[in-house]
Short mmCIF file of all heavy atoms in Angstrom, two decimals:
data_model
loop_
_atom_site.label_atom_id
_atom_site.label_comp_id
_atom_site.label_asym_id
_atom_site.label_seq_id
_atom_site.Cartn_x
_atom_site.Cartn_y
_atom_site.Cartn_z
N ILE A 152 -26.01 62.29 -60.66
CA ILE A 152 -27.22 63.04 -60.92
C ILE A 152 -27.20 64.38 -60.15
O ILE A 152 -27.52 65.37 -60.72
CB ILE A 152 -28.34 62.25 -60.36
CG1 ILE A 152 -28.60 60.91 -61.25
CG2 ILE A 152 -29.60 63.01 -60.13
CD1 ILE A 152 -29.52 59.98 -60.68
N LEU A 153 -26.57 64.31 -58.96
CA LEU A 153 -26.46 65.55 -58.15
C LEU A 153 -25.57 66.61 -58.84
O LEU A 153 -25.76 67.76 -58.94
CB LEU A 153 -25.97 65.35 -56.72
CG LEU A 153 -26.96 64.68 -55.86
CD1 LEU A 153 -26.26 64.30 -54.44
CD2 LEU A 153 -28.26 65.46 -55.60
N LEU A 154 -24.45 66.11 -59.40
CA LEU A 154 -23.42 66.92 -60.18
C LEU A 154 -24.16 67.59 -61.29
O LEU A 154 -23.79 68.75 -61.63
CB LEU A 154 -22.26 66.11 -60.61
CG LEU A 154 -21.16 65.80 -59.50
CD1 LEU A 154 -20.21 64.77 -60.07
CD2 LEU A 154 -20.47 67.15 -59.21
N GLN A 155 -25.01 66.80 -62.03
CA GLN A 155 -25.71 67.34 -63.26
C GLN A 155 -26.53 68.55 -62.77
O GLN A 155 -26.91 69.47 -63.71
CB GLN A 155 -26.37 66.37 -63.96
CG GLN A 155 -25.57 65.28 -64.55
CD GLN A 155 -24.52 65.89 -65.51
OE1 GLN A 155 -24.79 66.73 -66.28
NE2 GLN A 155 -23.38 65.42 -65.27
N LYS A 156 -27.03 68.73 -61.49
CA LYS A 156 -27.80 69.83 -61.03
C LYS A 156 -27.09 71.08 -60.86
O LYS A 156 -27.75 72.15 -60.58
CB LYS A 156 -28.61 69.41 -59.79
CG LYS A 156 -29.69 68.28 -60.08
CD LYS A 156 -30.38 67.86 -58.83
CE LYS A 156 -31.33 66.73 -59.10
NZ LYS A 156 -32.04 66.25 -57.93
N LEU A 157 -25.69 71.02 -60.83
CA LEU A 157 -24.91 72.13 -60.39
C LEU A 157 -24.72 72.92 -61.68
O LEU A 157 -24.80 72.46 -62.79
CB LEU A 157 -23.58 71.69 -59.98
CG LEU A 157 -23.48 71.01 -58.58
CD1 LEU A 157 -22.02 70.61 -58.36
CD2 LEU A 157 -23.94 71.89 -57.49
N PRO A 158 -24.43 74.26 -61.49
CA PRO A 158 -24.03 75.17 -62.73
C PRO A 158 -22.88 74.50 -63.29
O PRO A 158 -21.91 73.85 -62.60
CB PRO A 158 -23.86 76.45 -62.01
CG PRO A 158 -24.52 76.49 -60.85
CD PRO A 158 -24.48 75.00 -60.33
N GLU A 159 -22.58 74.61 -64.64
CA GLU A 159 -21.50 74.12 -65.38
C GLU A 159 -20.16 74.46 -64.76
O GLU A 159 -19.26 73.60 -64.62
CB GLU A 159 -21.53 74.44 -66.76
CG GLU A 159 -20.44 73.82 -67.69
CD GLU A 159 -20.64 74.19 -69.13
OE1 GLU A 159 -21.54 74.90 -69.48
OE2 GLU A 159 -19.66 73.69 -69.88
N ALA A 160 -19.90 75.70 -64.44
CA ALA A 160 -18.60 76.15 -63.88
C ALA A 160 -18.26 75.27 -62.56
O ALA A 160 -17.12 74.83 -62.48
CB ALA A 160 -18.60 77.57 -63.68
N GLU A 161 -19.17 75.17 -61.59
CA GLU A 161 -18.88 74.52 -60.45
C GLU A 161 -18.76 73.09 -60.52
O GLU A 161 -17.90 72.42 -60.14
CB GLU A 161 -19.96 74.78 -59.42
CG GLU A 161 -19.99 76.11 -58.74
CD GLU A 161 -20.61 77.20 -59.46
OE1 GLU A 161 -21.19 77.05 -60.65
OE2 GLU A 161 -20.61 78.42 -59.04
N ARG A 162 -19.59 72.47 -61.52
CA ARG A 162 -19.52 71.05 -61.80
C ARG A 162 -18.18 70.66 -62.36
O ARG A 162 -17.59 69.69 -61.98
CB ARG A 162 -20.69 70.61 -62.78
CG ARG A 162 -20.73 69.19 -63.00
CD ARG A 162 -21.84 68.63 -63.97
NE ARG A 162 -21.53 69.10 -65.31
CZ ARG A 162 -22.27 69.99 -65.99
NH1 ARG A 162 -23.40 70.59 -65.36
NH2 ARG A 162 -21.99 70.49 -67.17
N GLU A 163 -17.80 71.46 -63.38
CA GLU A 163 -16.37 71.09 -64.04
C GLU A 163 -15.33 71.19 -62.98
O GLU A 163 -14.49 70.25 -62.99
CB GLU A 163 -16.18 72.16 -65.15
CG GLU A 163 -16.96 71.92 -66.35
CD GLU A 163 -16.66 72.95 -67.51
OE1 GLU A 163 -16.07 74.05 -67.19
OE2 GLU A 163 -16.96 72.64 -68.69
N VAL A 164 -15.27 72.20 -62.21
CA VAL A 164 -14.16 72.29 -61.23
C VAL A 164 -14.25 71.05 -60.29
O VAL A 164 -13.15 70.51 -60.01
CB VAL A 164 -14.24 73.58 -60.41
CG1 VAL A 164 -13.21 73.62 -59.23
CG2 VAL A 164 -13.94 74.73 -61.39
N ILE A 165 -15.36 70.68 -59.81
CA ILE A 165 -15.47 69.56 -58.86
C ILE A 165 -14.96 68.31 -59.60
O ILE A 165 -14.25 67.38 -59.04
CB ILE A 165 -16.90 69.40 -58.29
CG1 ILE A 165 -17.07 70.61 -57.32
CG2 ILE A 165 -17.07 68.13 -57.56
CD1 ILE A 165 -18.51 70.70 -56.83
N GLU A 166 -15.44 68.06 -60.75
CA GLU A 166 -15.16 66.87 -61.61
C GLU A 166 -13.58 66.82 -61.83
O GLU A 166 -12.92 65.75 -61.68
CB GLU A 166 -15.97 66.72 -62.86
CG GLU A 166 -17.37 66.51 -62.68
CD GLU A 166 -18.22 66.46 -63.86
OE1 GLU A 166 -17.89 67.10 -64.94
OE2 GLU A 166 -19.34 65.93 -63.93
N LEU A 167 -13.05 67.85 -62.25
CA LEU A 167 -11.68 67.90 -62.51
C LEU A 167 -10.85 67.66 -61.20
O LEU A 167 -9.80 67.06 -61.34
CB LEU A 167 -11.18 69.34 -63.04
CG LEU A 167 -11.75 69.67 -64.60
CD1 LEU A 167 -11.43 71.01 -64.93
CD2 LEU A 167 -11.18 68.55 -65.46
N HIS A 168 -11.29 68.27 -60.18
CA HIS A 168 -10.58 68.11 -58.89
C HIS A 168 -10.73 66.79 -58.17
O HIS A 168 -9.83 66.07 -57.86
CB HIS A 168 -10.85 69.31 -57.96
CG HIS A 168 -9.95 69.23 -56.61
ND1 HIS A 168 -8.77 69.49 -56.55
CD2 HIS A 168 -10.49 68.98 -55.38
CE1 HIS A 168 -8.32 69.34 -55.51
NE2 HIS A 168 -9.32 69.04 -54.55
N MET A 169 -11.95 66.33 -58.08
CA MET A 169 -12.25 65.12 -57.33
C MET A 169 -12.13 63.90 -58.12
O MET A 169 -11.63 62.81 -57.65
CB MET A 169 -13.65 65.23 -56.78
CG MET A 169 -13.92 66.30 -55.77
SD MET A 169 -12.97 66.20 -54.28
CE MET A 169 -14.04 65.01 -53.49
N ILE A 170 -12.55 63.93 -59.34
CA ILE A 170 -12.45 62.70 -60.28
C ILE A 170 -11.20 62.58 -61.01
O ILE A 170 -10.56 61.51 -61.00
CB ILE A 170 -13.71 62.71 -61.24
CG1 ILE A 170 -14.97 62.65 -60.36
CG2 ILE A 170 -13.62 61.50 -62.21
CD1 ILE A 170 -16.24 62.89 -61.20
N ARG A 171 -10.67 63.68 -61.71
CA ARG A 171 -9.58 63.53 -62.47
C ARG A 171 -8.26 63.83 -61.60
O ARG A 171 -7.08 63.57 -61.97
CB ARG A 171 -9.53 64.48 -63.57
CG ARG A 171 -10.51 64.00 -64.57
CD ARG A 171 -10.49 64.69 -65.93
NE ARG A 171 -9.23 65.07 -66.46
CZ ARG A 171 -8.91 66.01 -67.30
NH1 ARG A 171 -9.87 66.73 -67.73
NH2 ARG A 171 -7.68 66.29 -67.75
N GLY A 172 -8.50 64.36 -60.26
CA GLY A 172 -7.27 64.47 -59.41
C GLY A 172 -6.53 65.70 -59.64
O GLY A 172 -5.25 65.85 -59.31
N MET A 173 -7.02 66.55 -60.46
CA MET A 173 -6.23 67.79 -60.79
C MET A 173 -6.14 68.82 -59.67
O MET A 173 -7.08 68.90 -58.88
CB MET A 173 -6.81 68.59 -62.00
CG MET A 173 -6.68 67.78 -63.31
SD MET A 173 -7.59 68.61 -64.68
CE MET A 173 -6.49 70.00 -64.86
N SER A 174 -5.04 69.47 -59.47
CA SER A 174 -4.92 70.53 -58.40
C SER A 174 -5.64 71.75 -58.89
O SER A 174 -5.93 71.89 -60.07
CB SER A 174 -3.50 70.70 -58.11
OG SER A 174 -2.89 71.54 -59.29
N PHE A 175 -5.94 72.66 -57.94
CA PHE A 175 -6.62 73.77 -58.26
C PHE A 175 -5.73 74.68 -59.16
O PHE A 175 -6.35 75.32 -60.12
CB PHE A 175 -6.94 74.73 -57.08
CG PHE A 175 -7.97 74.04 -56.14
CD1 PHE A 175 -7.79 73.79 -54.88
CD2 PHE A 175 -9.19 73.57 -56.70
CE1 PHE A 175 -8.78 73.33 -54.04
CE2 PHE A 175 -10.20 72.96 -55.96
CZ PHE A 175 -9.92 72.83 -54.59
#
């Protein structure tokens, strides 16, 4: 729910890094 409140660009980077484990 908190992630959905973020702007799309920030949310995508956090999801890719924290959930999918992708490097920057």
Side-chain angles (χ1 to χ4, degrees):
I152 290 168
L153 292 176
L154 280 170
Q155 293 306 314
K156 293 180 180 181
L157 295 178
E159 183 177 356
E161 283 84 0
R162 182 181 69 248
E163 283 182 341
V164 170
I165 289 172
E166 287 174 343
L167 290 173
H168 184 67
M169 298 295 281
I170 297 169
R171 290 193 41 209
M173 293 176 69
S174 69
F175 292 130

